[in-house]
Amino acid sequence: MKSFDLLVIGGGVNGTGIARDAAMRGLSTCLVEKKDFAAGSSGANSGMIHGGARYLLFDAKVTRLSCLDSGYIQRIAPHLLFRIPFLIPVLPSGHELFDQAYLYGVECYFEEYDRYQPLKNGKPHTRLSDQELHELEPGVVQGTVGAVSMDEYGIDPFRLCTLNARSAAEHGADVRTHTQVTRLQRQDDIDSDSHYQYWRVGLEGPSGSEEARARVVFNAAGPWAPKIAALGGAELKIRPGKGVHVTLDRRLSNYGIVCRAIDGRDVFVMPHEDSCIIGTTDDDFYGDPDELSVSQDEVEYLLQAVERTFPSVRQARILRAWAGVRPTLWQYGPLEDRLSRDHKIYDHGGGFFSIVGGKLASFRAMAEEAVDTVSRALSKGGRCETHKTPLPGGEAPAPAAEELSRQHDVPAFAAARIAYRHGAEAPRVLALADERPELRALCCPCEGVTFAELEFARTREFAAGLLDLRRRCRLAMGVCQGARCIGPAAALLEDLSQARELLDERWKGQRPVLAGDGLAQAELLQSTYFGVGALQNEGTAPWR
Amino acid sequence: MAVEVLVIGGGMAGTAAALAARSAGASVLLVSRGPGATALSSGAADVAAAGDAPLLEAARTVARRPGHPYALLADLDGALREGLLLLRALGYAGPGERNLWLLSPLGCPKPAALAQPFIAAGDLRALSRDARPAVVALAGAQAIEARLQQAGLRRLFPQAPERPLAADFYTQRTDALRGVPEMAADLDARRERLADALRRAVRNSGATHLLLPTMGLEPEPIDAGVPVFELLGAPPSVPGLRLQRQLVKALQATGVELRLGEITPADVPEAGAMVLATGRFIGGGIRSGATLTETVFALPAYAGERRSLPALPGEELFAVKAAGRHAGFAAGLRIGPDLRALDAHGRPAFFKAAPLFAAGAVVGGYDQSRDEGGLGAAAILGAAAGHNAAAAVLGARRASA
């Protein structure tokens, strides 16, 4: 039986962040995740490290923390962040004086936000006339009152979690994915070896069930946190909020554009890598976070909101719709949008803690606070270094894509994606292709994924199957939604067993939005896997 | 002078219709927008793939699924025979009375009525259980996909080699970027080099049969010391390109006039009868908007009983699981017993007094990706529609004479 100072439950951004911080401070750490890194809320958000301008009025503390931590995340993972300039057009209401005052109000608001921008290397806002706005983005509806700009950053949240987990493992943490916590029991009699009280943690993983011991258990299970708390005999309340996003097949704009939904809420359309994301809804969620689905109403609400400011969204091809659950702090009364995005650490006693709430952009600060708590409880552990020690690939600037492409004979497009996803580690990924030339080939032409990158994820990044590979390097996340790449990727693993599951996972997102040209793509996917591919006959020999 | 039969669509169904109408003595014009699903086809031709006897199984399909267009054919047996005959004329081989079992690109057994000759030769059921077939790995993604295919072979033939057979046809690092269609062109140009590479690879490997990812656009037998077969193609597939070329040749040889380009109701050439063979979504024959609609003449299309759709019809048309049965992928026109397309009132449709027939995937009621007939169904329905269209105009010609 293994013994740890700290056992962290949850492989999202909080769990991986805590595990990294703790391992770097010298605590013996185990990270347990029932599926894969970022398989829950951390992989189903807008993919932004944003300062939370929205919370400035009623939660300025959250804005400050988000901006401050954004700056640190930029420092430790510079390759993973991409700047997204936002435009906030003001549409005429019919009362000119009011409109001018409103635009002035928006500008004042972002002038206040400008105070925080230097923390995250953001540019101050600009006020734009209608003409200037259309010079920047002709797709915005004509006849606006004007617009205000602001700066935010996007990130690949899957990689952020993976890199935290990898760094934790490199600092000695025991990282277990696809491992479920089955039992959480406090052992009050003193451990004869260590003379400490401890938790007995039942684990069910790929290699069967076992038990681990930990002096402190940290519950960072996001929407599943109440369940984990209950397992340890504690009560934890959150107010889960469901957020729906829609992905479009291309970058409609190089700017993020803030639009107003029918109920007055702010909704945005923004570029994310090679696609565009529209988000988001915010509704109380009472269901099982393992069984999320998107309704057509939710998609229509988002499209309607964007259409008013950016009409051509109706001609765009929608790739998919997806949902996540925010583990928001419990509060009875406020509307969803007014709920605090602050985080909180709960001490359930006896070395059992939970962390809920917070934002992707402040994960590192939250992890620091969490490990400070653990460190106090154990009277052990050094100083936090996560604000200055780079994540893997962040140690130096990423090599230029053209150079990578030339040196390793891979397509320039793929080299650029590898440079983005792996930063300074890109040459390590491509070294695999130097040894085994076939790994140079593209597996997923939509997202520029070479087999080398898949092999790297498989051997160095805890990717256990096709579903994990998707999260490591955007396999099957592009315009064809896996029509091309799922078979070849399964071939690299020599394992078709997750092909159906990945097809179903992709299909689940496509189904609510499938129409128009998407039907031809889906028909081609069907014939690839169920027509010529005959996946339904796997393992049979019907003629014998 | 107006043509007697106008065929819209140059895939398998359109070509079958054009050839049938031409052989019945009608003058035929075929208008094609460009390659569609036929050009992406795998090299196999399904009639109704489930089970073991395609002709019988097709009859069972009819009994099982009344919405299937086979159910409407007055002489199903005759149509099946004619469709198969056409495929054979195009080089598709196989016993016809029972299915071939072919190795799919995913390494799974795939049934087919007929297949292109070097593919059909690789019928898995014809190999003894102790055979040692091996997939040939040439380069890049193909060499990786070969592992999955070899794993599939190993499940069927326990003594097959564990790994695909690496052949040193390619030598440059950058060759790893060659896709299978590019490999086909390379093989056409350097056939002897390939044969040498295969002979070297087979020696001491124990392999008794070789499966090649492609045998080129112009395949010829390869002497590698053991039998060499070709694998089915996933899109973009070489056998599909090959078939599309053959279709054009067949049309030209029989004197069908060919025209490339889009067609709208405003510029539909005058004709005595018309055959719509524009495909489903890949071909562009059916579109979803507020309703499901055929794209040239705006005829009504249906998915099961549904026609009007919400803006986002997904949940109405598609099953929850990817592998489920999807009404949406069997969407299309409704047709009458003579393969006449039906209008919004359920009556046979005309365009400027010309009766409209329909064939192939533009006709609803079957899903090519399931066991309901793919390329074979297109050939069968196409030939029948071509016959009926020719009969309509030739009957009128005789009457006026």
Side-chain angles (χ1 to χ4, degrees):
Chain A
M1 191 190 325
K2 283 199 172 181
S3 282
F4 300 96
D5 291 329
L6 170 66
L7 185 135
V8 185
I9 303 170
V13 75
N14 287 340
T16 57
I18 292 170
R20 175 184 196 232
D21 194 340
M24 282 171 63
R25 293 199 212 184
L27 302 181
S28 71
T29 305
C30 179
L31 173 66
V32 181
E33 158 59 46
K34 74 167 174 163
K35 279 188 180 167
D36 182 30
F37 311 131
S41 307
S42 295
N45 51 64
S46 312
M48 286 180 85
I49 295 294
H50 75 74
R54 200 155 75 75
Y55 317 119
L56 204 51
L57 271 187
F58 59 97
D59 229 356
K61 188 178 127 204
V62 170
T63 306
R64 193 187 144 67
L65 184 67
S66 298
C67 289
L68 184 67
D69 218 33
S70 288
Y72 289 133
I73 298 168
Q74 269 179 54
R75 186 199 284 175
I76 62 173
H79 60 299
L80 270 194
L81 278 92
F82 44 91
R83 182 174 161 246
I84 309 174
F86 268 79
L87 302 172
I88 303 151
V90 173
L91 304 191
S93 67
H95 305 280
E96 208 189 322
L97 210 61
F98 172 84
D99 291 343
Q100 288 303 329
Y102 189 82
L103 181 59
Y104 179 71
V106 173
E107 194 181 359
C108 288
Y109 191 87
F110 284 100
E111 200 159 306
E112 175 68 12
Y113 190 49
D114 285 348
R115 290 172 44 202
Y116 299 91
Q117 286 284 13
L119 292 171
K120 59 188 178 81
N121 302 313
K123 293 188 178 156
H125 84 280
T126 325
R127 180 168 173 169
L128 302 165
S129 69
D130 181 61
Q131 194 195 337
E132 288 165 334
L133 169 65
H134 285 96
E135 275 166 26
L136 291 176
E137 181 43 74
V140 172
V141 72
Q142 295 299 317
T144 68
V145 182
V148 173
S149 73
M150 67 150 172
D151 245 21
E152 294 294 2
Y153 289 86
I155 195 166
D156 181 332
F158 300 103
R159 291 220 56 81
L160 180 64
C161 295
T162 300
L163 294 180
N164 272 297
R166 273 186 52 199
S167 173
E170 281 159 21
H171 286 91
D174 188 342
V175 174
R176 316 250 186 121
T177 55
H178 304 286
T179 300
Q180 190 130 19
V181 174
T182 53
R183 205 161 62 95
L184 210 49
Q185 195 179 32
R186 193 169 139 79
Q187 198 69 27
D188 279 319
D189 52 305
I190 303 291
D191 182 334
S192 54
D193 303 329
S194 58
H195 309 287
Y196 291 118
Q197 293 171 333
Y198 58 92
W199 288 83
R200 297 172 62 167
V201 187
L203 299 176
E204 182 83 46
S207 49
S209 46
E210 61 178 306
E211 194 179 89
R213 291 179 178 199
R215 291 173 59 194
V216 171
V217 171
F218 223 109
N219 170 17
W224 292 270
K227 263 191 192 170
I228 296 294
L231 212 53
E235 196 198 358
L236 174 66
K237 265 178 143 177
I238 58 171
R239 186 162 160 195
K242 178 180 167 194
V244 170
H245 287 86
V246 163
T247 305
L248 308 180
D249 73 335
R250 69 196 70 190
R251 292 168 75 103
L252 278 194
S253 171
N254 286 321
Y255 297 93
I257 295 160
V258 177
C259 312
R260 177 137 304 174
I262 192 167
D263 53 2
R265 294 181 60 251
D266 284 342
V267 162
F268 60 80
V269 52
M270 69 170 189
H272 183 97
E273 307 200 37
D274 295 324
S275 65
C276 234
I277 293 177
I278 299 176
T280 175
T281 65
D282 192 347
D283 293 299
D284 281 312
F285 178 72
Y286 298 93
D288 179 351
D290 281 314
E291 300 290 335
L292 278 175
S293 63
V294 176
S295 76
Q296 295 189 354
D297 278 353
E298 290 165 319
V299 175
E300 192 51 42
Y301 167 86
L302 291 173
L303 293 179
Q304 179 197 43
V306 173
E307 182 183 24
R308 216 165 136 264
T309 308
F310 204 89
S312 69
V313 73
R314 285 290 181 188
Q315 274 80 59
R317 190 177 134 205
I318 310 173
L319 280 187
R320 55 190 294 109
W322 38 284
V325 177
R326 305 171 181 87
T328 327
L329 295 182
W330 167 257
Q331 233 188 321
Y332 198 97
L335 282 174
E336 294 96 327
D337 269 333
R338 284 282 175 242
L339 285 171
S340 168
R341 296 298 197 247
D342 206 353
H343 65 276
K344 196 168 173 183
I345 291 171
Y346 292 90
D347 183 351
H348 306 298
F352 183 29
F353 300 91
S354 292
I355 185 163
V356 289
K359 302 211 56 71
L360 190 71
S362 51
F363 88 88
R364 195 214 56 83
M366 290 160 65
E368 179 178 349
E369 194 183 324
V371 181
D372 284 347
T373 309
V374 175
S375 183
R376 271 195 303 275
L378 294 174
S379 311
K380 182 176 177 184
R383 289 164 60 113
C384 176
E385 300 282 340
T386 56
H387 60 300
K388 53 185 184 188
T389 309
L391 284 165
E395 307 85 355
E402 305 75 47
E403 204 172 304
L404 282 174
S405 165
R406 209 175 35 246
Q407 277 178 1
H408 302 277
D409 290 316
V410 292
F413 164 56
R417 303 318 295 151
I418 291 178
Y420 166 68
R421 286 191 278 265
H422 297 272
E425 279 196 319
R428 273 184 72 196
V429 177
L430 287 170
L432 295 171
D434 296 341
E435 289 159 28
R436 295 160 57 192
E438 75 276 13
L439 297 180
R440 195 169 275 129
L442 274 181
C443 177
C444 166
C446 303
E447 293 290 331
V449 186
T450 56
F451 286 100
E453 199 178 350
L454 297 178
E455 185 67 5
F456 187 83
R458 188 178 77 81
T459 54
R460 321 261 170 95
E461 297 193 319
F462 305 94
L466 285 174
L467 292 157
D468 295 356
L469 287 179
R470 171 184 84 79
R471 288 180 280 258
R472 294 301 175 280
C473 36
R474 289 183 69 80
L475 181 80
M477 287 175 78
V479 283
C480 87
Q481 291 286 297
R484 180 73 181 267
C485 64
I486 293 176
L492 182 75
L493 303 176
E494 292 181 48
D495 180 10
L496 255 182
S497 61
Q498 282 190 2
R500 271 166 183 261
E501 214 178 322
L502 182 52
L503 284 167
D504 282 341
E505 191 272 336
R506 296 285 85 191
W507 180 250
K508 186 178 176 184
Q510 288 168 272
R511 183 171 168 261
V513 295
L514 206 53
D517 293 340
L519 290 168
Q521 181 68 72
E523 194 179 28
L524 190 63
L525 180 142
Q526 285 282 321
S527 73
T528 301
Y529 293 100
F530 303 109
V532 56
L535 192 52
Q536 61 277 23
N537 295 336
E538 190 199 355
T540 66
W543 66 92
R544 278 183 188 155
Chain B
M1 198 191 96
V3 293
E4 287 171 318
V5 174
L6 168 72
V7 177
I8 307 173
M12 189 68 238
T15 305
L19 295 175
R22 190 75 199 99
S23 74
S27 65
V28 182
L29 168 65
L30 185 145
V31 187
S32 167
R33 186 175 75 160
T38 297
L40 295 166
S41 64
S42 66
D46 299 334
V47 170
D52 221 17
L55 293 175
L56 273 177
E57 190 53 36
R60 278 192 217 120
T61 305
V62 169
R64 205 168 52 227
R65 291 174 61 91
H68 196 290
Y70 285 170
L72 295 165
L73 293 173
D75 176 13
L76 175 63
D77 270 8
L80 284 169
R81 243 182 296 270
E82 183 167 359
L84 292 178
L85 212 61
L86 171 60
L87 286 166
R88 286 189 191 284
L90 289 165
Y92 280 69
E97 292 307 317
R98 54 170 182 76
N99 273 319
L100 301 163
W101 283 94
L102 306 168
L103 190 69
S104 88
L106 300 174
C108 305
K110 147 97 189 145
L114 301 174
Q116 292 183 11
F118 290 105
I119 297 175
D123 185 6
L124 300 172
R125 75 190 300 166
L127 300 185
S128 84
R129 213 188 173 110
D130 50 16
R132 296 187 300 277
V135 178
V136 176
L138 293 175
Q142 182 275 323
I144 291 169
E145 286 168 63
R147 297 181 200 165
L148 194 58
Q149 293 151 0
Q150 190 67 30
L153 276 179
R154 288 262 296 172
R155 277 200 292 269
L156 300 167
F157 305 99
Q159 296 176 46
E162 217 165 296
R163 314 294 302 167
L165 198 63
D168 54 354
F169 176 74
Y170 287 109
T171 51
Q172 302 295 312
R173 285 200 330 166
T174 46
D175 288 336
L177 301 180
R178 307 298 276 170
V180 174
E182 292 144 319
M183 289 178 174
D186 295 341
L187 299 195
D188 282 339
R190 305 160 85 182
R191 222 159 261 294
E192 250 328 292
R193 185 186 159 80
L194 175 70
D196 289 343
L198 293 182
R199 279 192 294 267
R200 277 195 300 277
V202 163
R203 217 175 292 147
N204 305 325
S205 73
T208 54
H209 305 79
L210 297 185
L211 287 107
L212 266 180
T214 175
M215 288 177 72
L217 277 163
E218 312 277 352
E220 284 169 24
I222 297 176
D223 175 16
V226 296
V228 180
F229 313 130
E230 186 178 42
L231 285 163
L232 289 169
S237 84
V238 175
L241 290 175
R242 210 184 272 151
L243 172 61
Q244 193 67 52
R245 283 183 172 189
Q246 273 171 310
L247 296 184
V248 172
K249 274 189 206 155
L251 290 168
Q252 285 167 339
T254 47
V256 171
E257 191 189 336
L258 277 172
R259 192 185 296 170
L260 270 178
E262 295 268 352
I263 201 165
T264 64
D267 54 24
V268 172
E270 225 174 283
M274 301 182 186
V275 180
L276 258 180
T278 42
R280 191 166 292 134
F281 302 122
I282 294 175
I286 304 290
R287 265 202 81 77
S288 85
T291 56
L292 281 168
T293 307
E294 180 279 319
T295 49
V296 180
F297 299 109
L299 292 166
Y302 300 84
E305 295 302 313
R306 300 221 42 128
R307 160 114 224 266
S308 319
L309 299 170
L312 299 168
E315 288 173 18
E316 309 259 346
L317 297 186
F318 303 106
V320 173
K321 296 284 180 187
R325 233 174 219 294
H326 307 292
F329 293 125
L333 291 173
R334 286 192 176 154
I335 54 171
D338 47 3
L339 299 182
R340 290 280 294 276
L342 301 182
D343 66 14
H345 308 289
R347 290 190 292 257
F350 289 89
F351 183 76
K352 292 185 182 166
L356 284 178
F357 297 84
V362 74
V363 175
Y366 75 109
D367 176 349
Q368 313 94 296
S369 295
R370 301 297 186 271
D371 55 352
E372 297 163 15
L375 201 66
I380 289 159
L381 296 170
H387 269 303
N388 294 354
V393 283
L394 297 178
R397 195 209 281 172
R398 268 193 296 277
S400 67

